[in-house]
Amino acid sequence: MACTVRSHAPTVRDFPFSSHSLPPTRLKASPMSRATKLFEPFKLGPITLANRVAMAPLTRNRAVPAGLVPSPLAAEYYGQRASAGLLISEASQISPQGQGYQDTPGIHSKEQVAGWREVTNRVHERGGRIFIQLWHVGRISHTALQPNGAAPVAPSAIRARTKTFVKGAFVDTSEPRALELSEIPGIIDSYKRAAANAIAAGFDGVEIHGANGYLLDQFAKDGANKRTDAYGGGIENRARLMLEVSRAVATEAGADRTGIRISPVTPANDVSDSNPQALFDYIVDQLNALKLVYIHVIEGSTGGPRDYAPFDYSSLRKRFSGAYIANNGYDFELATKVLEAGAADLIAFGKAFISNPDLVERLRAGAPLNPWDKTTFYGGGAKGYTDYPTLAQAAE
Ligand code: 8OZ
């Protein structure tokens, strides 16, 4: 996204997206339990979710620096949130090249698989379900995070006008190099191996990160993709990588355990497209043919206005026979309205889940929500991660 450079010294607590934080929702306390579709079970492929509340993928930058393995605190954090119908993990790089920020976890090494196994065990013990989000950042990275200090890779050698966070400071993303055609099978293979690792780690499924200006979104959108080969030019060519990755991951994990997150109009990470409706109508038609289990759609500007740019999301809903997960700025009222209207199957909540481990119970009771603390979103330890109280703990 076009990030505003701040005048004060940057810290890991100041990722661009945190500037979009909405004021915490305070709902009127009510002793009644609210019965809406939000709390009804949902069959997602072979698994049954206890309710229609999903926890959106949330970058928290707390992996153990040596090996970028999820820490024991991560098992506690996800376990605390297991009453969500579906947890979607923080974005996790599929390869060392796929990393773009400090201390994000991976899903490419044995040690990472073992770390994630602790997370999935904890969530399952508590009756929850969890998918992992598979991530390749493409050009949203820095040479300091790349193997051998190499340039990050992208569809085209165009630097994104945004920042990333490296070694305790904000830095401009590095000038990327364009991927050679001959390298693309290797990228697809990394997604496949990551999907196999995810299943080995006990995840219920995988979500491909096709959103927010990262690699697959960079290929799809003509602001970032100026290629002249089979992966650039018209819509079919630009969509090719996202679709080839989807097919490969679905082959590995099962289409009924493979979802994808998309953000048709977001300006996040300096990405743009001249005709997002035509592009995403085509992409969703193809995802439907691949029989993916869900599309997870960020409606509007990520973490910002829902009406950022005109787009007909119902067109995507109509084209896709799997589940539709809606995200961005939902509260209880809007979630209920959209589910009752049949415009979505699940609603993903982001920041509210950071500060409310028992978000489902609070929504059901109409109880107030804990406000979130932006300064502990990215990096650090237990503070702002595993120490937000449940309603029961708050009453102690
Ligand atoms: C916030 C900070 C860093 C990365 C995304 C993975 O927006 C992210 C992300 C969010 O999808």
Side-chain angles (χ1 to χ4, degrees), residues 78 86-87 89 119-120 123-124 128-132 203-205:
Y78 286 107
L86 179 66
L87 301 175
S89 83
V119 171
T120 62
V123 169
H124 291 150
R129 297 294 195 170
I130 183 165
F131 276 39
I132 185 172
F203 283 99
D204 296 291

Side-chain angles (χ1 to χ4, degrees), residues 41-383:
F42 183 74
K43 202 164 158 14
L44 185 71
I47 63 175
T48 301
L49 311 180
N51 55 64
R52 314 295 190 96
V53 178
M55 174 171 152
L58 294 160
T59 290
R60 305 304 308 273
N61 308 75
R62 282 164 165 86
V64 179
L68 300 174
V69 174
S71 79
L73 272 183
E76 184 57 20
Y77 165 75
Y78 286 107
Q80 288 172 341
R81 288 156 179 76
S83 61
L86 179 66
L87 301 175
I88 304 164
S89 83
E90 64 210 270
S92 305
Q93 57 268 6
I94 58 161
S95 63
Q97 185 193 67
Q99 186 189 355
Y101 306 82
Q102 185 179 312
D103 301 338
T104 56
I107 181 69
H108 51 85
S109 76
K110 277 201 188 63
E111 294 73 21
Q112 290 162 352
V113 171
W116 281 119
R117 173 53 85 174
E118 300 295 317
V119 171
T120 62
N121 282 347
R122 194 75 63 90
V123 169
H124 291 150
E125 277 161 25
R126 298 190 184 179
R129 297 294 195 170
I130 183 165
F131 276 39
I132 185 172
Q133 196 189 46
L134 303 183
W135 195 26
H136 190 308
V137 296
R139 65 182 183 168
I140 309 302
S141 189
H142 191 273
T143 52
L145 291 169
Q146 289 290 306
N148 308 316
V153 299
S156 303
I158 306 167
R159 199 178 70 76
R161 288 160 301 174
T162 190
K163 305 236 171 210
T164 182
F165 193 79
V166 183
K167 293 185 186 156
F170 266 125
V171 290
D172 289 340
T173 53
S174 302
E175 170 98 26
R177 70 174 176 83
L179 279 163
E180 301 287 341
L181 191 57
S182 61
E183 292 176 281
I184 290 183
I187 301 261
I188 297 170
D189 211 51
S190 297
Y191 275 97
K192 261 187 100 130
R193 279 184 280 115
N197 286 344
I199 298 303
F203 283 99
D204 296 291
V206 301
E207 174 176 290
I208 297 161
H209 195 340
N212 292 343
Y214 297 110
L215 184 73
L216 302 180
D217 205 26
Q218 289 159 30
F219 266 83
K221 292 179 178 168
D222 57 15
N225 183 346
K226 307 290 179 195
R227 298 178 75 92
T228 53
D229 61 11
Y231 291 86
I235 282 173
E236 290 183 23
N237 281 3
R238 283 183 278 118
R240 193 177 307 284
L241 184 60
M242 193 182 285
L243 297 171
E244 287 181 350
V245 165
S246 299
R247 182 187 296 275
V249 168
T251 303
E252 200 61 46
D256 58 358
R257 293 185 184 273
T258 303
I260 187 167
R261 194 174 204 217
I262 54 176
S263 53
V265 302
T266 196
N269 289 316
D270 196 24
V271 78
S272 63
D273 191 75
S274 57
N275 190 353
Q277 191 76 53
L279 175 62
F280 282 90
D281 280 352
Y282 171 76
I283 286 175
V284 170
D285 277 341
Q286 301 301 308
L287 295 171
N288 188 54
L290 292 174
K291 298 194 163 24
L292 292 205
V293 75
Y294 70 70
I295 53 171
H296 178 181
V297 185
I298 301 170
E299 298 164 344
S301 170
T302 312
R306 293 179 46 74
D307 60 356
Y308 174 79
F311 192 89
D312 178 13
Y313 296 98
S314 74
S315 169
L316 307 186
R317 170 68 163 165
K318 275 188 233 120
R319 285 162 196 274
F320 192 71
S321 31
Y324 183 104
I325 308 183
N327 173 245
N328 207 25
Y330 279 82
D331 61 8
F332 172 81
E333 282 74 22
L334 185 59
T336 296
K337 190 173 131 200
V338 164
L339 290 178
E340 304 287 349
D345 299 299
L346 302 170
I347 307 293
F349 295 85
K351 290 185 285 283
F353 256 118
I354 289 183
S355 51
N356 295 277
D358 57 344
L359 182 64
V360 174
E361 291 75 11
R362 286 173 186 260
L363 292 175
R364 202 195 305 265
L369 302 187
N370 296 322
W372 53 75
D373 174 8
K374 284 199 311 193
T375 67
T376 51
F377 277 2
Y378 308 112
K383 186 171 175 329

